[in-house]
Amino acid sequence: MPGSQSTVPAAPCRFVGREKELRALDEAWARRPGLVVVYGRRRVGKTRLVTEWLRLRGARSVYYLAHLSSHGHNLKRFAQRAAEQLGDPLIARLSPTSLGDLLAILARAGVEVVVIDEVTYWIRAAPIVLSELQEFVDHYLPGSRMLLVLTGSLVGVMEHEVLGGGSPLHARAATRLKLEQLEFRYLREFVPRWSSVDRVRLYAVVGGIPFYLCLVAGAESLEEALRRLIVGPGAPLREEKDMLLREELRDPHVYNAVLSALARGYDTPYRVAQATGLDPSHVSKYLHVLAHLSIVEKRVPLFKKKGRYAIRDPVIRSWFGLVEPVLELLEIGEEGRALEKIASMLDQYAAATWEDLVRQHLLRLYAPRGYQRAGFLEHRGEELDVAILDEAGKRAIVAEVEWSTLSLGEAERLRRTALEKAYRLLPGGYSVEGAYVAARGLRGGPRPPWLLLPGDLDSPAGVGAEAS
């Protein structure tokens, strides 16, 4: 990639994970020519994935970061960047009139991979880009040896205008990658000296979003990480929620009101309407849009049809749960008091994340044995935190979850409670094949094999003990 290192974004910290995505890009490379679409929320690591793959592949490539600017401005900048990276000043002087023309020039120049990063900004400023891309993909790309990679952070634009049924590019991308956050077990790569308990707390704050994990990489303590993320000057979590909503949504203030209601426990459309004063007939639509963007999710108990809504995006959830309560303190410069308040709220806040992590861990542990569904059980006000199901064999693994340090006697009582609840809440015909208790820690006594602790979930192998 001659000259490409000056324009491809520098790596902020060590690249970890993304094995499946790298394999998918390798497979697309082997099948080229072709179109690849990579998308996901801001900061989830799209650019890093693609540039890391380019580094490993060593292909002759051109990378361009699109801007929310005019079509002509983007075309001119793209041509200039291509000329710089290829060491061919003639490309910058050709003045192509369309994106398709410029891509055809690059294909004739022997470029093997072209990456247009954040193409959704270009599309938002100049929708004609979509038609120009379609013309290139349909008429020129098949006769080349080029892999065209488009990335975008505006999830709504990507899913509706690039991949959607009415899009000029519909069904033309042979590879579509929607990047999600990294799994919890990768946090040890960023903060290896921390305790597993503090890694769960950090995951509660920022999830597995690489940008934020890179910001705290090397931090000596959770307190230092919270200073970097929330409390210190320029801390990114103070502004990120508003930026996400403004970029994705036409009426961010309305969606902000909906999210605020969800954060305060109003978890059904009717209750959100009551809390916000919004028209009840519109609230379901707002929730649907937020769910489509992976900002919220509907959590439905296993074997039930009705569920409750909750904020899914970890950074938006943290803004309402941890940032908003200390904004006044931060405004008057009381950073120490703000940090103390966050620390006092953090364990209660982390409990829901711990529950989700236990579900994911047990499903990963038992998936090779036919268990394919994870969730919780609920009926008439009684709830069992975790159930992993083998629906074909009508088998279940269950768990009760506590984000606290338990004595052995307390853990044993919780396990008995889990088994009793399971037999009451599971449908007839299901057998319980194992029961766990998950806790923050154990006080005294030998550790039983059915007790899960945070260290089991972030072990390099990603598995823990089994319980029968």
Side-chain angles (χ1 to χ4, degrees):
M1 292 186 294
S4 65
Q5 294 305 308
S6 63
T7 54
V8 174
C13 63
R14 197 163 74 85
F15 182 80
V16 300
R18 305 301 191 199
E19 293 87 357
K20 291 180 182 178
E21 291 85 353
L22 289 170
R23 284 198 298 272
L25 290 172
D26 274 340
E27 290 166 4
W29 167 263
R31 295 192 305 265
R32 73 188 191 284
L35 172 64
V36 174
V37 172
V38 181
Y39 69 109
R41 77 174 310 282
R42 281 167 49 90
R43 318 296 201 188
V44 81
K46 302 174 295 297
T47 300
R48 185 69 190 277
L49 168 69
V50 172
T51 54
E52 185 70 15
W53 177 76
L54 286 176
R55 184 186 67 80
L56 294 170
R57 173 53 54 191
R60 181 172 167 80
S61 65
V62 169
Y63 168 92
Y64 175 62
L65 175 62
H67 293 252
L68 186 62
S69 186
S70 70
H71 189 35
H73 178 72
N74 269 306
L75 268 181
K76 184 176 180 180
R77 285 178 59 89
F78 191 179
Q80 289 172 344
R81 296 295 179 268
E84 292 167 4
Q85 293 171 53
L86 298 173
D88 184 354
L90 178 62
I91 291 175
R93 296 197 294 269
L94 292 177
S95 301
T97 58
S98 75
L99 178 55
D101 288 345
L102 177 54
L103 291 171
I105 290 168
L106 297 179
R108 287 195 294 271
V111 176
E112 297 171 302
V113 182
V114 171
V115 177
I116 307 178
D117 199 1
E118 298 295 4
V119 71
T120 46
Y121 293 129
W122 194 344
I123 292 168
R124 178 166 280 182
I128 195 173
V129 167
L130 287 166
S131 298
E132 294 179 358
L133 283 169
Q134 177 196 10
E135 183 177 359
F136 173 77
V137 169
D138 286 350
H139 300 296
Y140 201 97
L141 184 64
S144 74
R145 292 292 291 162
M146 178 188 286
L147 194 66
L148 175 60
V149 182
L150 308 177
T151 86
S153 295
L154 303 181
V155 175
V157 174
M158 269 295 191
E159 294 192 337
H160 291 292
E161 299 180 38
V162 177
L163 299 172
S167 166
L169 292 177
H170 175 62
R172 287 169 172 80
T175 302
R176 300 164 48 165
L177 297 176
K178 184 177 183 182
L179 260 62
E180 302 289 351
Q181 59 184 317
L182 294 171
E183 295 177 4
F184 170 69
R185 58 196 172 103
Y186 289 109
L187 261 68
R188 65 168 48 243
E189 303 288 344
F190 298 92
V191 284
R193 292 187 295 275
W194 288 20
S195 69
S196 298
V197 170
D198 276 349
R199 284 198 279 266
V200 172
R201 291 172 174 137
L202 176 62
Y203 203 79
V205 177
V206 294
I209 299 177
F211 176 82
Y212 301 106
L213 297 176
C214 284
L215 285 182
V216 303
E220 293 298 323
S221 65
L222 179 61
E223 178 179 322
E224 181 183 341
L226 292 173
R227 287 187 185 278
R228 295 184 190 181
L229 293 167
I230 300 174
V231 175
L237 261 61
R238 294 194 219 170
E239 306 294 335
E240 188 72 358
K241 181 264 298 182
D242 289 338
M243 291 182 67
L244 278 167
L245 297 186
R246 282 198 302 266
E247 284 195 341
E248 288 283 5
L249 301 161
R250 292 181 180 176
D251 299 307
H253 62 285
V254 174
Y255 289 94
N256 189 71
V258 172
L259 291 166
S260 178
L262 291 175
R264 288 178 284 132
Y266 297 93
D267 54 8
T268 66
Y270 176 74
R271 297 187 70 201
V272 169
Q274 282 186 313
T276 59
L278 294 169
D279 186 332
S281 64
H282 295 162
V283 170
S284 291
K285 182 196 76 171
Y286 298 139
L287 290 169
H288 176 76
V289 170
L290 290 168
H292 188 71
L293 296 173
S294 299
I295 293 173
V296 308
E297 62 182 346
K298 189 175 184 181
R299 295 182 173 178
V300 181
L302 296 168
F303 308 108
K304 300 287 185 180
K305 294 182 179 179
K306 293 184 178 180
R308 303 185 296 270
Y309 285 90
I311 300 174
R312 179 188 179 196
D313 186 274
V315 170
I316 291 180
R317 188 173 62 237
S318 290
W319 191 91
F320 286 104
L322 298 174
V323 179
E324 187 178 38
V326 301
L327 282 178
E328 290 184 5
L329 291 172
L330 294 174
E331 285 295 321
I332 61 175
E334 293 282 355
E335 294 183 1
R337 287 177 59 197
L339 192 60
E340 289 175 4
K341 187 170 183 178
I342 292 169
S344 72
M345 298 185 294
L346 190 52
D347 274 326
Q348 182 178 356
Y349 179 79
T353 296
W354 174 232
E355 195 172 296
D356 287 340
L357 290 174
V358 171
R359 288 192 194 101
Q360 296 165 19
H361 173 74
L362 288 176
L363 184 60
R364 186 166 62 247
L365 181 62
Y366 283 96
R369 305 186 192 184
Y371 291 81
Q372 297 179 338
R373 194 175 175 198
F376 64 98
L377 299 171
E378 183 182 78
H379 184 64
R380 295 182 178 177
E382 186 174 37
E383 184 173 322
L384 179 57
D385 296 328
V386 176
I388 311 299
L389 302 180
D390 167 15
E391 293 176 296
K394 292 200 170 184
R395 299 181 298 165
I397 305 293
V398 299
E400 282 279 55
V401 180
E402 289 284 336
W403 185 242
S404 60
T405 299
L406 303 176
S407 68
L408 183 56
E410 289 169 333
E412 288 171 339
R413 284 193 292 274
L414 271 177
R415 186 167 186 253
R416 288 195 296 269
T417 298
L419 288 166
E420 291 165 1
K421 286 183 180 179
Y423 284 112
R424 286 196 298 270
L425 298 176
L426 284 166
Y430 266 85
S431 62
V432 179
E433 300 296 314
Y436 288 84
V437 170
R440 190 173 70 197
L442 176 68
R443 289 195 309 272
R447 177 185 168 184
W450 43 262
L451 181 65
L452 287 173
L453 299 175
D456 299 316
L457 277 63
D458 75 349
S459 65
V463 299
E466 297 179 30
S468 60

